[in-house]
Amino acid sequence: MTEADAIAAADRPATRTSLATDLTALGVESGMTLMVHSSLSRLGFVAGGAPAVVLALLDAVGPDGTVMMPTLSNHLGDPAEWRNPPVPETWWQTIRDEVPAYDPALTPTRLMGAIVECFRHQPGVRRSAHPTASMAATGPRAPELLEPHELDYPLGEASPLARLYALDAHILLLGVTHANNTSLHLAEYRSPPPTGLPHVRRGAPILHDGERVWATYDDIEDDDEDFADLGEAFAETGLERCGPVGAGVGRLMRSRDVVDFGVEWLRDHRHGA
């Protein structure tokens, strides 16, 4: 969506104040722990752009609340797995040898959007240590959500997503659908248990004792192609609140509700259990 499209999609500009009001009406509360997936362009014209959205989110949860966002950087992963777009096999070793190591402050996100990129630069935001599957958060619960973030199975039981679930936190889809809901990868780990899922060996450059190394780690073969269908089915349970945020739609739910539903849905529809 272009800026002209965003203007055409809105009756009036959204602002930090109006967005915070919309979020509160949707059910976002002071003190809430909130995982946010977002698209700036889907909110229509926002006066101030991404910073206004970030500040509105922080206003809505208040100083006692915690906001977390996915800051994925899969462009640091093994080029042998790249599909969008792929690169020639003759390039693979050069990329493995030369791509700079993951740096929480320096490494940009990939395909996460302007709101996430703005959020990760907000003063007080911390970012987890995983080179391709990091999360960023700010607020009182940020340390317990983000640390540690081990290399193996980065979206599974030892991840920020599992800690979000354990805290009975909320997920907000801001202008996006469940196709963008990273938390559903936790449901993949649990449906069926990881021993029944295809496993892969992945790699990425990290700093180890101050030296750049190519580290390898274990993971599952994740797949988000049916997450939109899963999300449509979840919406029918009534456990998802929907409402306007700017010119877009916000969807608010508990992490436990959607992950638990996702486990069963994937067993029935993907694994044929």
Side-chain angles (χ1 to χ4, degrees):
M1 182 181 289
T2 66
E3 190 168 20
D5 292 333
I7 293 169
D11 295 329
R12 61 182 64 86
T15 67
R16 172 181 177 175
T17 301
S18 72
L19 290 170
T21 299
D22 290 345
L23 291 168
T24 300
L26 182 63
V28 177
E29 299 175 353
S30 179
M32 186 176 278
T33 297
L34 191 65
M35 172 72 157
V36 181
H37 305 77
S38 60
S39 169
L40 178 61
S41 66
R42 297 297 179 184
L43 303 182
F45 184 85
V46 177
V53 180
V54 170
L55 293 171
L57 286 164
L58 298 177
D59 290 343
V61 301
D64 295 327
T66 298
V67 174
M68 184 165 78
M69 297 189 190
T71 49
L72 312 185
S73 49
N74 56 16
H75 57 287
L76 295 192
D78 194 332
E81 292 193 286
W82 293 359
R83 298 291 180 267
N84 190 27
V87 295
E89 185 172 354
T90 54
W91 296 11
W92 292 357
Q93 196 57 50
T94 300
I95 292 171
R96 292 181 186 125
D97 292 342
E98 297 293 339
V99 169
Y102 172 71
D103 181 322
L106 181 64
T107 301
T109 62
R110 183 171 187 269
L111 302 178
M112 293 289 101
I115 295 170
V116 172
E117 268 298 292
C118 179
F119 176 73
R120 77 177 184 89
H121 290 99
Q122 175 76 9
V125 170
R126 310 160 72 120
R127 191 176 181 187
S128 69
H130 200 278
T132 62
S134 67
M135 305 283 163
T138 188
R141 293 195 176 274
E144 65 183 292
L145 283 169
L146 300 178
E147 301 167 7
H149 198 168
E150 304 293 346
L151 274 173
D152 290 333
Y153 306 108
L155 300 177
E157 298 301 339
S159 73
L161 298 182
R163 296 186 198 110
L164 192 81
Y165 178 98
L167 289 172
D168 196 19
H170 286 74
I171 295 170
L172 172 65
L173 304 180
L174 197 54
V176 298
T177 71
H178 287 273
N180 302 93
N181 188 351
T182 308
S183 290
L184 291 177
H185 288 297
L186 180 61
E188 284 191 294
Y189 277 85
R190 296 178 175 181
S191 176
T195 52
L197 292 167
H199 283 237
V200 292
R201 190 75 176 162
R202 294 193 161 124
I206 64 169
L207 289 175
H208 181 70
D209 294 333
E211 298 290 329
R212 180 200 180 278
V213 298
W214 183 263
T216 58
Y217 59 95
D218 291 320
D219 202 359
I220 64 167
E221 189 69 71
D222 58 334
D223 180 5
D224 59 9
E225 288 190 1
D226 52 4
F227 283 5
D229 293 337
L230 190 167
E232 289 182 7
F234 175 71
E236 295 176 1
T237 67
L239 296 173
E240 174 182 297
R241 295 186 63 172
C242 290
V245 180
V249 175
R251 295 174 171 85
L252 182 69
M253 69 219 70
R254 291 186 179 275
S255 171
R256 290 182 182 177
D257 287 342
V258 70
V259 171
D260 289 346
F261 180 88
V263 169
E264 298 303 319
W265 191 94
L266 289 170
R267 283 177 178 165
D268 292 341
H269 294 83
R270 186 188 291 183
H271 303 297

